[in-house]
Protein backbone atom coordinates (compact mmCIF):
# COMPACT_ATOMS: atom_id res chain seq x y z
CA UNK A 1 0.00 0.00 0.00
CA UNK A 2 1.35 3.44 -0.85
CA UNK A 3 1.67 4.80 2.67
CA UNK A 4 3.19 7.99 1.33
CA UNK A 5 -0.06 9.13 -0.30
CA UNK A 6 -1.07 11.96 2.00
CA UNK A 7 -4.81 12.65 2.08
CA UNK A 8 -5.16 15.82 4.09
CA UNK A 9 -8.36 16.18 6.08
CA UNK A 10 -9.96 19.56 6.83
CA UNK A 11 -8.74 19.29 10.41
CA UNK A 12 -5.16 18.57 9.32
CA UNK A 13 -5.26 21.34 6.71
CA UNK A 14 -6.53 24.00 9.11
CA UNK A 15 -3.92 22.99 11.68
CA UNK A 16 -1.17 23.10 9.02
CA UNK A 17 -2.34 26.61 8.10
CA UNK A 18 -1.93 27.48 11.77
CA UNK A 19 1.77 26.49 11.57
CA UNK A 20 2.28 29.22 8.95
CA UNK A 21 0.97 31.87 11.34
CA UNK A 22 3.02 31.49 14.57
CA UNK A 23 1.04 34.31 16.16
CA UNK A 24 -2.30 32.71 15.33
CA UNK A 25 -4.42 31.55 18.26
CA UNK A 26 -6.03 28.71 16.32
CA UNK A 27 -9.52 30.15 16.82
CA UNK A 28 -10.28 30.49 13.12
CA UNK A 29 -9.10 26.92 12.49
CA UNK A 30 -11.32 25.77 15.33
CA UNK A 31 -14.31 27.68 13.94
CA UNK A 32 -13.83 26.16 10.47
CA UNK A 33 -13.65 22.68 11.95
CA UNK A 34 -16.89 23.38 13.84
CA UNK A 35 -18.53 24.29 10.53
CA UNK A 36 -17.24 21.06 9.02
CA UNK A 37 -18.81 19.06 11.84
CA UNK A 38 -22.21 20.75 11.45
CA UNK A 39 -22.00 20.23 7.68
CA UNK A 40 -21.53 16.49 8.17
CA UNK A 41 -24.60 16.32 10.38
CA UNK A 42 -26.69 18.30 7.87
CA UNK A 43 -25.39 16.11 5.05
CA UNK A 44 -26.81 12.99 6.71
CA UNK A 45 -30.30 14.52 6.89
CA UNK A 46 -30.18 16.06 3.41
CA UNK A 47 -29.17 12.72 1.91
CA UNK A 48 -32.22 11.00 3.36
CA UNK A 49 -34.58 13.95 2.82
CA UNK A 50 -36.37 12.04 0.09
CA UNK A 51 -37.28 9.45 2.70
CA UNK A 52 -38.99 11.98 4.97
CA UNK A 53 -42.38 10.69 3.92
CA UNK A 54 -41.33 7.26 5.15
CA UNK A 55 -39.64 8.60 8.26
CA UNK A 56 -42.49 10.95 9.08
CA UNK A 57 -43.24 14.34 7.51
CA UNK A 58 -41.86 17.63 8.80
CA UNK A 59 -43.47 18.66 12.06
CA UNK A 60 -44.43 15.12 13.00
CA UNK A 61 -42.77 12.42 15.09
CA UNK A 62 -40.87 9.91 12.95
CA UNK A 63 -40.55 6.19 13.33
CA UNK A 64 -37.61 6.72 15.73
CA UNK A 65 -39.88 8.83 17.90
CA UNK A 66 -37.90 11.98 17.01
CA UNK A 67 -39.50 15.26 16.03
CA UNK A 68 -38.97 15.82 12.28
CA UNK A 69 -37.98 19.47 11.75
CA UNK A 70 -38.06 21.50 8.55
CA UNK A 71 -34.66 20.92 6.99
CA UNK A 72 -33.83 24.65 7.09
CA UNK A 73 -34.49 24.80 10.83
CA UNK A 74 -32.57 21.58 11.41
CA UNK A 75 -29.57 22.98 9.53
CA UNK A 76 -29.83 26.30 11.38
CA UNK A 77 -29.80 24.48 14.73
CA UNK A 78 -26.73 22.43 13.76
CA UNK A 79 -24.59 25.41 12.74
CA UNK A 80 -25.81 27.56 15.64
CA UNK A 81 -25.18 24.73 18.10
CA UNK A 82 -21.59 23.88 17.13
CA UNK A 83 -20.62 27.56 17.03
CA UNK A 84 -22.27 28.33 20.37
CA UNK A 85 -20.49 25.41 22.07
CA UNK A 86 -17.14 26.10 20.41
CA UNK A 87 -14.46 28.51 21.64
CA UNK A 88 -14.11 30.74 18.59
CA UNK A 89 -17.47 32.40 17.92
CA UNK A 90 -19.06 35.22 19.91
CA UNK A 91 -22.34 35.20 18.01
CA UNK A 92 -24.18 34.38 14.79
CA UNK A 93 -26.71 35.77 12.34
CA UNK A 94 -28.78 33.45 10.16
CA UNK A 95 -31.27 33.75 7.32
CA UNK A 96 -33.58 31.67 9.51
CA UNK A 97 -33.48 34.10 12.49
CA UNK A 98 -34.94 37.62 12.55
CA UNK A 99 -32.12 39.01 14.70
CA UNK A 100 -28.50 38.12 15.46
CA UNK A 101 -27.75 35.86 18.44
CA UNK A 102 -25.08 37.13 20.84
CA UNK A 103 -23.62 34.17 22.76
CA UNK A 104 -23.30 35.27 26.41
CA UNK A 105 -21.47 32.37 28.05
CA UNK A 106 -17.99 33.16 29.45
CA UNK A 107 -16.11 31.32 26.67
CA UNK A 108 -18.11 32.81 23.80
CA UNK A 109 -17.91 36.44 24.94
CA UNK A 110 -14.12 36.06 24.91
CA UNK A 111 -14.15 34.86 21.27
CA UNK A 112 -13.07 37.21 18.51
CA UNK A 113 -15.18 36.07 15.54
CA UNK A 114 -18.81 36.24 14.49
CA UNK A 115 -20.38 34.07 11.82
CA UNK A 116 -23.25 34.81 9.44
CA UNK A 117 -24.83 32.04 7.41
CA UNK A 118 -27.63 30.81 5.23
CA UNK A 119 -27.94 27.34 6.75
CA UNK A 120 -29.68 25.69 3.80
CA UNK A 121 -29.98 27.80 0.67
CA UNK A 122 -32.27 26.56 -2.07
CA UNK A 123 -33.96 24.09 0.26
CA UNK A 124 -37.09 24.08 -1.93
CA UNK A 125 -34.93 22.09 -4.40
CA UNK A 126 -34.72 19.17 -1.98
CA UNK A 127 -38.07 17.84 -3.21
CA UNK A 128 -36.67 17.44 -6.73
CA UNK A 129 -33.22 16.22 -5.68
CA UNK A 130 -31.32 19.28 -6.93
CA UNK A 131 -28.09 20.21 -5.12
CA UNK A 132 -28.47 22.69 -2.25
CA UNK A 133 -26.02 24.35 0.08
CA UNK A 134 -24.90 26.20 3.18
CA UNK A 135 -23.19 29.59 2.82
CA UNK A 136 -21.16 31.28 5.58
CA UNK A 137 -19.07 34.36 6.32
CA UNK A 138 -16.67 34.98 9.21
CA UNK A 139 -15.80 38.47 10.52
CA UNK A 140 -13.57 39.66 13.36
CA UNK A 141 -15.86 41.38 15.89
CA UNK A 142 -15.47 45.17 16.23
CA UNK A 143 -16.76 45.43 19.82
CA UNK A 144 -14.40 44.62 22.72
CA UNK A 145 -13.65 40.95 23.40
CA UNK A 146 -15.20 40.05 26.75
CA UNK A 147 -18.49 41.82 25.99
CA UNK A 148 -21.59 40.49 24.24
CA UNK A 149 -21.67 41.29 20.54
CA UNK A 150 -23.74 44.11 19.09
CA UNK A 151 -25.33 44.76 15.68
CA UNK A 152 -22.21 46.55 14.39
CA UNK A 153 -20.25 43.30 14.71
CA UNK A 154 -22.52 41.83 12.02
CA UNK A 155 -23.09 44.85 9.73
CA UNK A 156 -19.58 45.00 8.29
CA UNK A 157 -18.77 45.38 4.59
CA UNK A 158 -17.75 42.20 2.79
CA UNK A 159 -14.16 43.43 2.42
CA UNK A 160 -13.83 42.87 6.19
CA UNK A 161 -14.48 39.14 5.94
CA UNK A 162 -11.74 37.00 7.50
CA UNK A 163 -13.04 33.84 5.82
CA UNK A 164 -16.05 32.74 3.78
CA UNK A 165 -17.22 29.47 2.34
CA UNK A 166 -19.98 27.13 1.39
CA UNK A 167 -20.97 23.49 1.50
CA UNK A 168 -22.64 22.02 -1.60
CA UNK A 169 -24.74 18.93 -0.86
CA UNK A 170 -24.67 17.43 -4.34
CA UNK A 171 -23.51 14.32 -6.19
CA UNK A 172 -20.73 14.56 -3.65
CA UNK A 173 -20.63 16.86 -0.64
CA UNK A 174 -17.96 19.53 -0.80
CA UNK A 175 -16.84 22.23 1.61
CA UNK A 176 -15.07 25.16 -0.06
CA UNK A 177 -13.63 28.02 1.97
CA UNK A 178 -11.51 31.07 1.32
CA UNK A 179 -9.20 33.09 3.49
CA UNK A 180 -6.91 35.83 2.16
CA UNK A 181 -4.35 33.08 1.57
CA UNK A 182 -6.47 31.22 -0.98
CA UNK A 183 -9.50 29.10 -1.78
CA UNK A 184 -9.48 25.37 -1.01
CA UNK A 185 -12.06 22.64 -1.60
CA UNK A 186 -12.64 19.52 0.51
CA UNK A 187 -14.75 16.55 -0.56
CA UNK A 188 -16.50 14.48 2.08
CA UNK A 189 -15.13 10.94 2.11
CA UNK A 190 -18.03 8.90 3.54
CA UNK A 191 -15.73 5.93 4.20
CA UNK A 192 -13.92 7.89 6.91
CA UNK A 193 -16.48 10.65 7.57
CA UNK A 194 -13.92 13.38 6.89
CA UNK A 195 -13.70 16.31 4.48
CA UNK A 196 -10.50 15.66 2.52
CA UNK A 197 -8.55 18.18 0.44
CA UNK A 198 -9.58 17.55 -3.18
CA UNK A 199 -9.33 21.02 -4.80
CA UNK A 200 -6.24 22.84 -3.46
CA UNK A 201 -5.75 26.51 -4.31
CA UNK A 202 -8.85 26.95 -6.51
CA UNK A 203 -8.52 29.67 -9.17
CA UNK A 204 -11.49 30.89 -11.19
CA UNK A 205 -10.59 30.73 -14.93
CA UNK A 206 -9.95 34.24 -16.24
CA UNK A 207 -12.73 33.67 -18.79
CA UNK A 208 -15.51 31.21 -19.43
CA UNK A 209 -18.42 30.35 -21.68
CA UNK A 210 -21.18 29.85 -19.11
CA UNK A 211 -23.68 32.55 -18.20
CA UNK A 212 -26.21 31.91 -15.45
CA UNK A 213 -29.36 34.01 -15.09
CA UNK A 214 -33.10 33.41 -14.75
CA UNK A 215 -34.34 34.16 -18.28
CA UNK A 216 -37.90 34.11 -16.97
CA UNK A 217 -37.26 37.58 -15.53
CA UNK A 218 -35.57 38.90 -18.70
CA UNK A 219 -38.07 41.68 -19.47
CA UNK A 220 -37.99 42.82 -15.83
CA UNK A 221 -34.23 43.45 -15.89
CA UNK A 222 -32.71 46.91 -16.48
CA UNK A 223 -32.03 47.60 -20.18
CA UNK A 224 -28.22 47.53 -19.64
CA UNK A 225 -28.49 44.02 -18.20
CA UNK A 226 -30.77 42.89 -21.04
CA UNK A 227 -28.20 44.24 -23.51
CA UNK A 228 -25.41 42.17 -21.89
CA UNK A 229 -27.54 39.02 -21.79
CA UNK A 230 -28.31 39.50 -25.49
CA UNK A 231 -24.54 39.80 -26.16
CA UNK A 232 -24.08 36.47 -24.39
CA UNK A 233 -26.70 34.92 -26.67
CA UNK A 234 -24.89 36.23 -29.76
CA UNK A 235 -21.47 34.85 -28.83
CA UNK A 236 -19.95 32.53 -31.43
CA UNK A 237 -16.54 31.16 -32.41
CA UNK A 238 -15.47 34.50 -33.79
CA UNK A 239 -16.03 36.48 -30.57
CA UNK A 240 -15.13 34.18 -27.70
CA UNK A 241 -18.19 31.95 -27.79
CA UNK A 242 -20.43 30.19 -28.20
CA UNK A 243 -21.69 30.61 -24.63
CA UNK A 244 -23.97 28.14 -22.91
CA UNK A 245 -26.69 29.11 -20.42
CA UNK A 246 -26.67 27.09 -17.21
CA UNK A 247 -29.06 27.96 -14.36
CA UNK A 248 -30.50 25.46 -11.90
CA UNK A 249 -31.92 27.94 -9.42
CA UNK A 250 -29.71 26.86 -6.54
CA UNK A 251 -27.11 29.56 -5.91
CA UNK A 252 -24.46 27.35 -4.32
CA UNK A 253 -24.59 24.86 -7.21
CA UNK A 254 -24.66 27.58 -9.89
CA UNK A 255 -21.81 29.66 -8.46
CA UNK A 256 -19.69 26.60 -7.56
CA UNK A 257 -19.87 25.39 -11.17
CA UNK A 258 -18.86 28.81 -12.52
CA UNK A 259 -16.03 29.12 -9.96
CA UNK A 260 -14.52 25.83 -11.13
CA UNK A 261 -15.22 26.07 -14.87
CA UNK A 262 -15.30 29.83 -15.41
CA UNK A 263 -18.47 31.77 -16.07
CA UNK A 264 -20.74 34.53 -14.80
CA UNK A 265 -23.71 34.35 -12.42
CA UNK A 266 -26.27 37.14 -12.30
CA UNK A 267 -29.23 37.87 -10.08
CA UNK A 268 -30.10 41.45 -11.16
CA UNK A 269 -32.71 43.70 -9.66
CA UNK A 270 -36.09 43.49 -11.38
CA UNK A 271 -39.06 45.83 -11.69
CA UNK A 272 -40.79 43.73 -8.99
CA UNK A 273 -37.66 43.47 -6.79
CA UNK A 274 -35.32 46.41 -7.54
CA UNK A 275 -32.83 45.09 -4.96
CA UNK A 276 -33.01 41.59 -6.38
CA UNK A 277 -33.69 38.47 -4.33
CA UNK A 278 -30.34 37.45 -2.86
CA UNK A 279 -29.25 38.49 0.62
CA UNK A 280 -26.14 40.68 0.89
CA UNK A 281 -24.63 39.45 4.16
CA UNK A 282 -24.84 35.67 3.90
CA UNK A 283 -25.33 34.93 0.20
CA UNK A 284 -23.69 37.67 -1.92
CA UNK A 285 -20.76 38.73 0.30
CA UNK A 286 -19.39 35.23 0.94
CA UNK A 287 -19.41 34.34 -2.76
CA UNK A 288 -17.99 37.76 -3.69
CA UNK A 289 -15.10 37.15 -1.25
CA UNK A 290 -14.45 33.60 -2.48
CA UNK A 291 -14.57 34.58 -6.15
CA UNK A 292 -12.34 37.62 -5.60
CA UNK A 293 -9.70 35.55 -3.76
CA UNK A 294 -9.91 33.01 -6.63
CA UNK A 295 -9.22 35.76 -9.21
CA UNK A 296 -12.75 36.69 -10.24
CA UNK A 297 -14.87 39.73 -9.33
CA UNK A 298 -18.30 40.71 -7.99
CA UNK A 299 -20.45 43.83 -8.19
CA UNK A 300 -23.92 45.00 -7.19
CA UNK A 301 -24.14 46.68 -10.60
CA UNK A 302 -22.75 50.00 -9.34
CA UNK A 303 -19.76 49.36 -7.01
CA UNK A 304 -17.64 46.35 -6.02
CA UNK A 305 -19.96 44.18 -3.94
CA UNK A 306 -17.42 43.82 -1.14
CA UNK A 307 -17.41 47.60 -0.62
CA UNK A 308 -21.15 47.87 0.07
CA UNK A 309 -21.74 49.22 3.59
CA UNK A 310 -24.67 47.18 4.95
CA UNK A 311 -27.49 48.89 6.83
CA UNK A 312 -29.71 45.91 7.62
CA UNK A 313 -28.95 42.29 8.51
CA UNK A 314 -31.26 40.79 5.87
CA UNK A 315 -30.96 43.38 3.13
CA UNK A 316 -31.03 42.18 -0.46
CA UNK A 317 -28.69 43.19 -3.28
CA UNK A 318 -28.46 42.83 -7.04
CA UNK A 319 -25.56 40.42 -7.63
CA UNK A 320 -23.13 39.79 -10.49
CA UNK A 321 -20.14 37.50 -9.91
CA UNK A 322 -17.71 35.58 -12.11
CA UNK A 323 -14.60 35.33 -14.25
CA UNK A 324 -12.70 38.60 -14.49
CA UNK A 325 -12.85 39.07 -18.27
CA UNK A 326 -16.58 38.29 -18.34
CA UNK A 327 -17.11 40.81 -15.53
CA UNK A 328 -15.09 43.33 -17.56
CA UNK A 329 -17.44 42.91 -20.51
CA UNK A 330 -20.55 43.06 -18.29
CA UNK A 331 -19.33 46.31 -16.74
CA UNK A 332 -18.84 47.94 -20.15
CA UNK A 333 -22.63 47.61 -20.49
CA UNK A 334 -23.50 48.48 -16.88
CA UNK A 335 -21.37 51.66 -17.08
CA UNK A 336 -22.88 52.87 -20.35
P1 LIG B 1 -35.17 32.33 -8.89
C1 LIG B 1 -33.00 29.62 -4.02
O1 LIG B 1 -34.34 29.84 -3.63
C2 LIG B 1 -32.34 30.97 -4.17
O2 LIG B 1 -32.37 31.68 -2.97
C3 LIG B 1 -30.91 30.81 -4.66
O3 LIG B 1 -30.31 29.64 -4.22
C4 LIG B 1 -31.08 30.83 -6.17
O4 LIG B 1 -29.93 31.31 -6.85
C5 LIG B 1 -32.26 31.79 -6.36
O5 LIG B 1 -33.04 31.71 -5.16
C6 LIG B 1 -33.12 31.38 -7.55
O6 LIG B 1 -34.16 32.36 -7.63
O7 LIG B 1 -36.00 33.58 -8.73
O8 LIG B 1 -34.33 32.36 -10.13
O9 LIG B 1 -35.95 31.04 -8.75
Amino acid sequence: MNVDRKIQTLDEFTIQQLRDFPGATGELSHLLRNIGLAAKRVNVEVNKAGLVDILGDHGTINVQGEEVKKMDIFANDQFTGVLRHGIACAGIASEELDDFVAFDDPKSVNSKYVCLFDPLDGSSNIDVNVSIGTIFAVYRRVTPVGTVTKLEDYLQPGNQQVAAGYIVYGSSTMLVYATRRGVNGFTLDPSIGEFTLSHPDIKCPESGKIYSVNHGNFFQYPEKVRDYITVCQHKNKSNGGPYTQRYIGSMVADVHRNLIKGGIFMYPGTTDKPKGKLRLMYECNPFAFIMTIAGGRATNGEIPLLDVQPTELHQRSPFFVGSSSMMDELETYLNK
Side-chain angles (χ1 to χ4, degrees):
M1 181 176 82
N2 174 3
V3 295
D4 296 332
R5 183 172 173 274
K6 183 75 181 135
I7 296 175
Q8 202 166 30
T9 66
L10 175 66
D11 288 15
E12 290 169 324
F13 183 84
T14 52
I15 290 167
Q16 287 290 336
Q17 294 285 300
L18 194 50
R19 283 272 171 84
D20 297 340
F21 280 113
T25 62
E27 283 186 69
L28 181 60
S29 299
H30 176 83
L31 189 153
L32 292 166
R33 291 199 299 276
N34 286 160
I35 286 178
L37 173 59
K40 287 191 275 191
R41 291 175 174 160
V42 171
N43 182 61
V44 169
E45 293 306 311
V46 166
N47 284 350
K48 65 185 181 186
L51 299 172
V52 166
D53 291 343
I54 300 172
L55 299 178
D57 205 348
H58 299 314
T60 62
I61 302 298
N62 67 19
V63 292
Q64 286 86 2
E66 300 151 349
E67 181 201 356
V68 179
K69 292 184 176 177
K70 255 173 66 60
M71 207 61 80
D72 308 55
I73 301 304
F74 173 82
N76 181 72
D77 293 353
Q78 297 308 312
F79 286 96
T80 303
V82 294
L83 292 170
R84 178 191 293 275
H85 298 296
I87 58 167
C89 186
I92 61 101
S94 166
E95 182 180 48
E96 294 298 328
L97 303 173
D98 290 343
D99 204 351
F100 67 91
V101 177
F103 299 153
D104 55 9
D105 61 279
K107 283 197 171 56
S108 297
V109 295
N110 284 303
S111 299
K112 62 185 176 189
Y113 296 116
V114 294
C115 190
L116 295 86
F117 52 77
D118 182 352
L120 205 59
D121 179 74
S123 53
S124 57
N125 290 298
I126 288 181
D127 304 339
V128 291
N129 213 19
V130 165
S131 301
I132 55 177
T134 299
I135 314 165
F136 64 91
V138 182
Y139 290 83
R140 191 171 283 102
R141 63 183 295 175
V142 296
T143 54
V145 168
T147 65
V148 292
T149 53
K150 293 184 170 52
L151 184 58
E152 61 257 43
D153 291 308
Y154 303 89
L155 291 188
Q156 299 184 55
N159 56 34
Q160 295 303 303
Q161 290 173 105
V162 173
Y166 59 89
I167 297 97
V168 51
Y169 309 98
S171 49
S172 64
T173 295
M174 267 191 79
L175 184 152
V176 177
Y177 82 88
T179 64
R180 295 192 183 283
R181 305 186 70 233
V183 185
N184 290 281
F186 302 79
T187 299
L188 183 61
D189 179 344
S191 68
I192 57 172
E194 292 286 0
F195 282 105
T196 55
L197 185 61
S198 55
H199 297 66
D201 196 22
I202 296 174
K203 296 296 182 194
C204 181
E206 185 269 339
S207 188
K209 300 186 185 321
I210 297 171
Y211 74 101
S212 305
V213 69
N214 183 337
H215 269 278
N217 299 329
F218 182 82
F219 292 106
Q220 287 197 53
Y221 295 144
E223 183 180 6
K224 295 173 179 179
V225 173
R226 296 202 307 270
D227 289 347
Y228 174 68
I229 292 172
T230 304
V231 164
C232 291
Q233 294 172 305
H234 284 99
K235 291 286 184 181
N236 53 51
K237 286 183 181 171
S238 67
N239 58 7
Y243 282 9
T244 186
Q245 203 264 352
R246 287 284 182 275
Y247 188 82
I248 53 176
S250 182
M251 183 184 197
V252 175
D254 277 321
V255 182
H256 175 70
R257 178 199 53 240
N258 292 5
L259 168 67
I260 302 296
K261 294 193 166 196
I264 191 167
F265 172 90
M266 299 174 274
Y267 205 107
T270 63
T271 44
D272 286 353
K273 300 175 187 169
K275 285 291 185 188
K277 173 182 182 182
L278 301 180
R279 307 285 186 171
L280 173 65
M281 296 311 294
Y282 39 77
E283 291 175 340
C284 301
N285 266 332
F287 276 118
F289 182 80
I290 295 162
M291 193 61 89
T292 302
I293 299 291
R297 258 203 343 274
T299 176
N300 66 355
E302 295 170 0
I303 64 169
L305 197 282
L306 293 174
D307 294 343
V308 174
Q309 175 57 52
T311 53
E312 292 166 29
L313 210 45
H314 300 291
Q315 72 185 69
R316 301 176 194 269
S317 172
F319 189 47
F320 306 84
V321 65
S323 297
S324 56
S325 69
M326 300 178 85
M327 291 296 291
D328 290 343
E329 186 168 36
L330 166 70
E331 289 178 338
T332 64
Y333 287 85
L334 294 181
N335 298 335
K336 272 185 178 170

